[in-house]
Amino acid sequence: MAKVTTRQNRKTIKTTVVGRGVLAGIQDAVAYMNGDKSRGRIVRGIDTAAIREKTGLSQTAFASLLSVPVPTLQKWEQHQRTPTGAARTCSR
C-alpha cells in the first residue's frame, strides 16, 4: 500500500473548534491509511451533508479539505456514492 502524505496548506485558515476537529480527523485518516489503526475507525451510514453543514463550510471548501473533487462530494451528499478508503475514516 502506498504511503499517504499531507502537505501544508499555504492559505491562512481561521482556526475554530470545528476546524481543529476537521483537521484532526483528516490527520487521523492519513495515519490510518498509513497503517496506524489506533487513530481512527471506519464508519458506516455516513451523512456527508450533515457533517459538512456542521462545519459551516461550502461544498467547495469541504471538498478541498478532504482532497476530493466537488462532484464526488455532491454524489456522497445525494447518496449516489459512498465514501471509501481514507474518506470513510474519522477520529474517535
Side-chain angles (χ1 to χ4, degrees), residues 1-63:
M1 177 188 313
K3 292 284 185 186
V4 179
T5 60
T6 59
R7 61 187 165 117
Q8 285 287 2
N9 185 345
R10 295 178 186 191
K11 297 179 182 178
T12 302
I13 299 174
K14 182 178 179 183
T15 304
T16 65
V17 172
V18 172
R20 286 191 301 270
V22 169
L23 291 174
I26 292 169
Q27 290 168 340
D28 284 344
V30 170
Y32 185 92
M33 288 303 295
N34 285 333
D36 183 357
K37 305 303 183 197
S38 69
R39 291 191 54 190
R41 62 185 173 89
I42 301 297
V43 293
R44 311 251 186 273
I46 300 168
D47 188 348
T48 310
I51 295 168
R52 181 182 60 79
E53 288 172 11
K54 285 181 182 180
T55 68
L57 296 173
S58 67
Q59 286 182 333
T60 303
F62 195 67

